[in-house]
Amino acid sequence: MLGIPASDPAGTVYVLTDDNTLQAIKPYSGTLIWSYRAGEPLSDVLFVGADFTVYLYTESRKLIAVTPGGTVRWKRQFNSPLSRSPAASPEGAVILPMEDGRLIKINGRGRVLWEKPAAYSYTSPVVDQDGSLYISGDNNTIFSYKPTGNGGWSYTLPARAEILALRSDYLLALTSERKAFCLDIRGNLIWENDTLPSGNPVSLLSSPDRIHIVYSSGMVIALNPDGSEESRFQGPPTEGFASIDSKGALYLFGRDRKLYRLMDDELIEIESDTPMTAPLLGAAANLFSGGENWIVYSYKTPASAQGWAGYRGGPLRNGAVDSGASLKRLQEYYEGYPGYLYFEMMSQSPELDKRLEIIDRFEKLQRDNQLIEKFPFAPLLLIDMAEEGISYASFDGSLVSNSSSLVRIKALNLLGDIGDIRTRRFIISHLYQEDSASAAVSAIWALAMIGFDYDGAATRAIASAKERFFNDDGVLLTICDTLEEIVYYNGIIPDQSGLHVLSSIYSSNAPYGIRKRAGEIFDNFTGGPRLK
């Protein structure tokens, strides 16, 4: 079976072949990076999470998590097939819609964050920037779920929604009765269009200034942002595989197994010497597709650099792509959430006992796996409390510092336990500034608990901390353990500074146990033995 490749946020292209092998390809050269053979029949699910984890689903209903480096991180057995493709959540988890009606949220370490009974999903989940998700279920109803899995709003349409898509802060829906609807993310109707032509809509895509509806007949309807129709164009009959780039160029996979580009009402066939698969636009806006002669092709688009000729791999299968978002949107979302302003005020209180009281309460809820469910904004408050210190004006107008390393330590520990990849940048920035060895240990271990470090930023921050705390045995041992965790999570050495740090610890005057630990981890990373 042929389909589209998948891509991670860095642009790496992933393909599944008919011999149950996952292959990773460099986006700019087409060079094979690595391959992983599953050893059992795979379904057509190929999905990349916001933390770059690549997910496969076997025909025996097993979810396999593969690291960006090509090693298997974990496997988990389920008792139901997937009903639709998964969706990525911005904190590093994925949402699995099961055929038995359940929604399951699982993070990159294989931990099930929540499992909720839900209506059978007629569309793949659509995830917003804050982690809220939307699905089309029974009784023609769109259901929303909060990032915690708790129910949000629901909206009943005159007919079942067949396709859902997000456009900025708006949810778009196409129904089986030739109507288009636009809702805001609070569930309020913004507009509807009941003048669509008859036929079977198969794709819903947005460019900066248009909404495109693609029909199986090849008809392409362009709507303005207000829902009014802008134009119609007859393209090739299609099964619905389509992509759109930042310049508004629409790429269609026809039933004739050819690729077409539609831009400014001009349809161009993308030339190839072999029937192609559906298009994928990578992170660099390159267009990728596969052919029956086991070649993956990259093409230049109006928004990309030059493509490359091809990579000889194997017949491709379907894939899916999604991405995450920032903490800024989460803060905007929860500003009006019950209790947020109270806890924010308490977290910024100059009184140490008030901040510790909040953290103690959060720690207990986290142990019971209830923290994010009850206080989904907790990571935002913990970031506030992990800041260097709090200064406030005394009665005589002078500034008094009430900084407490204990608050920072406890807040950083809890951020690591939560494991939201969106907090990683803050923890890295904090580690560069931290002057307390004990708090640095907490920051370093929080990065270990998060794990994701594909760009090597955490590894470099840890290397910097080693230079500042080179005489602290606790820091050195934590660095060793953390680098081991980061390499396990990513399947690669994210930055060579990690090896230099281990080598320097091994050669230092640290206690023998720490030096031995550094040498063992170095050898494991490099395939040693190089250090003994």
Side-chain angles (χ1 to χ4, degrees), residues 39-52:
E40 61 179 302
L42 296 173
S43 69
D44 295 325
V45 172
L46 173 56
F47 187 79
V48 184
D51 63 350
F52 292 45

Side-chain angles (χ1 to χ4, degrees), residues 508-519:
S508 70
N509 295 322
Y512 172 75
I514 296 176
R515 290 187 287 113
K516 180 182 178 183
R517 178 86 172 114

Side-chain angles (χ1 to χ4, degrees), residues 34-311:
W34 52 257
S35 64
Y36 160 70
R37 178 165 290 187
E40 61 179 302
L42 296 173
S43 69
D44 295 325
V45 172
L46 173 56
F47 187 79
V48 184
D51 63 350
F52 292 45
T53 302
V54 186
Y55 294 95
L56 311 174
Y57 205 72
T58 71
E59 292 183 0
S60 62
R61 304 171 184 177
K62 186 184 301 176
L63 185 67
I64 303 176
V66 181
T67 71
T71 59
V72 174
R73 190 181 301 145
W74 50 263
K75 300 180 181 180
R76 191 179 186 96
Q77 185 70 50
F78 291 92
N79 59 7
S80 173
L82 295 174
S83 62
R84 295 290 186 272
S85 295
S89 192
E91 80 278 19
V94 292
I95 312 296
L96 307 176
M98 313 305 289
E99 204 169 81
D100 60 11
R102 290 176 299 154
L103 287 174
I104 298 174
K105 188 173 189 177
I106 187 169
N107 68 11
R109 292 192 178 274
R111 176 185 175 189
V112 174
L113 302 179
W114 51 256
E115 181 178 321
K116 301 289 182 180
Y120 179 83
S121 183
Y122 292 98
T123 60
S124 295
V126 177
V127 181
D128 199 356
Q129 297 179 59
D130 57 61
S132 299
L133 65 102
Y134 313 91
I135 61 170
S136 171
D138 293 328
N139 301 319
N140 304 336
T141 301
I142 296 175
F143 296 94
S144 77
Y145 292 84
K146 297 175 182 177
T148 59
N150 295 327
W153 52 263
S154 61
Y155 190 93
T156 301
L157 300 170
R160 187 174 70 212
E162 302 285 355
I163 303 176
L164 294 181
L166 280 168
R167 176 184 170 87
S168 184
D169 288 341
Y170 299 98
L171 181 68
L172 304 174
L174 292 179
T175 72
S176 56
E177 290 187 348
R178 300 178 296 172
K179 292 184 179 181
F181 294 85
C182 177
L183 308 173
D184 65 20
I185 57 174
R186 305 293 181 182
N188 303 306
L189 179 66
I190 304 301
W191 55 255
E192 65 177 283
N193 184 312
D194 58 3
T195 63
L196 299 180
S198 60
N200 178 33
V202 288
S203 287
L204 178 61
L205 309 104
S206 295
S207 64
D209 57 354
R210 294 289 185 274
I211 299 165
H212 299 268
I213 304 172
V214 181
Y215 289 78
S216 60
S217 64
M219 174 70 72
V220 179
I221 306 294
L223 302 181
N224 294 308
D226 63 2
S228 61
E229 185 172 320
E230 197 269 343
S231 65
R232 298 187 180 196
F233 188 90
Q234 182 61 53
T238 176
E239 297 294 341
F241 297 114
S243 296
I244 193 166
D245 68 18
S246 61
K247 302 292 186 182
L250 185 66
Y251 299 88
L252 303 172
F253 174 48
R255 288 181 184 169
D256 56 6
R257 316 281 299 268
K258 296 180 180 179
L259 288 178
Y260 297 87
R261 182 176 75 200
L262 173 61
M263 188 174 186
D264 298 327
D265 289 335
E266 180 183 9
L267 188 68
I268 300 174
E269 179 183 336
I270 297 177
E271 295 183 3
S272 174
D273 58 0
T274 177
M276 304 298 290
T277 68
L280 165 75
L281 283 168
N286 281 67
L287 178 71
F288 299 99
S289 188
E292 288 183 334
N293 60 354
W294 294 25
I295 293 180
V296 178
Y297 291 88
S298 170
Y299 293 92
K300 177 179 172 60
T301 73
S304 77
Q306 184 63 46
W308 38 263
Y311 162 74

